[in-house]
Amino acid sequence: MTIEEYIDDIAPDKKDAFAKLMHVVDANIPAGFEKEIQYGMPSYVVPKSRYPDGYHCDSNLSLPFFAIAAQKQHIAVYHMGIFGNEALLDWFQTEYPKHMTTKLNMGKGCIRFTNPKKIPYELIGELSSKVTVDDWIKQYETTMKK
C-alpha cells in the first residue's frame, strides 16, 4: 500500500483533516526522517541508511518515530518518543489545554482526536518538530532498545 492509496481509503468525514495533519507534520518534522507506510499507516521513520540496525521488534523495519492514522472512531497521532521523554510529555500535556477545550485523549504514545474538526494542528506541528533524528536514536538506544 502506498501513502496515496491509504489517503484514498480514508472515510470522507476524516479525509480533509487527515490531509491537513499530514501536511503540518511534513512541514515541521526535522530533516532526516523519511515517510513510508509502516504498520499499515503513514509513518515517519529513521531510514535504514541512517540507522542500519532498524527496529528491535523487527530489524527488517526502519526505526519508527511518528505516525498518523485515520481509525474508525478517531484520527490518531503516534509519537514513539513522547512516552520515553518525560520533559516532552510534560510540555505536551501543559500545552494541550492552551490549544483545545476538549480533554486530552491519550495513551502511552497515542494521541486520539475523535472530532476531525477539533485537531490542534499548530500544536501537533510543534510536537513533530521537537525531536531530531540524532535525538531520537539516542533516546531509543538508551530507553527502549533491549
Side-chain angles (χ1 to χ4, degrees):
M1 172 182 281
T2 67
I3 291 172
E4 293 76 23
E5 290 169 333
Y6 183 93
I7 293 170
D8 287 344
D9 287 343
I10 295 173
D13 65 321
K14 292 182 179 74
K15 193 174 283 200
D16 288 344
F18 184 90
K20 184 175 180 180
L21 184 60
M22 183 179 290
H23 176 75
V24 166
V25 175
D26 287 347
N28 286 281
I29 199 147
F33 290 106
E34 291 183 2
K35 190 165 52 172
E36 65 182 43
I37 292 288
Q38 198 176 75
Y39 292 106
M41 64 188 132
S43 303
Y44 298 82
V45 302
V46 179
K48 297 275 285 190
S49 61
R50 173 66 177 84
Y51 192 73
D53 289 353
Y55 190 36
H56 71 274
C57 294
D58 182 347
S59 62
N60 292 317
L61 294 177
S62 300
L63 179 61
F65 172 64
F66 197 100
I68 54 178
Q71 308 289 2
K72 185 176 182 180
Q73 300 296 325
H74 60 271
I75 292 177
V77 170
Y78 298 92
H79 192 298
M80 295 289 288
I82 203 166
F83 65 87
N85 182 332
E86 191 173 324
L88 183 60
L89 177 61
D90 290 345
W91 170 83
F92 183 75
Q93 290 174 331
T94 300
E95 285 298 310
Y96 185 86
K98 297 175 185 176
H99 297 260
M100 298 291 291
T101 57
T102 57
K103 181 180 176 189
L104 178 59
N105 183 349
M106 184 175 181
K108 258 188 163 178
C110 176
I111 306 158
R112 294 173 286 272
F113 301 102
T114 55
N115 184 344
K117 294 178 181 170
K118 293 190 175 186
I119 297 176
Y121 297 104
E122 182 180 317
L123 179 63
I124 298 302
E126 191 172 350
L127 174 64
S128 69
S129 76
K130 289 200 167 281
V131 179
T132 67
V133 169
D134 289 338
D135 293 340
W136 173 230
I137 291 171
K138 182 179 178 182
Q139 179 183 338
Y140 173 74
E141 288 185 338
T142 58
T143 63
M144 294 178 195
K145 188 175 179 181
K146 296 180 179 169

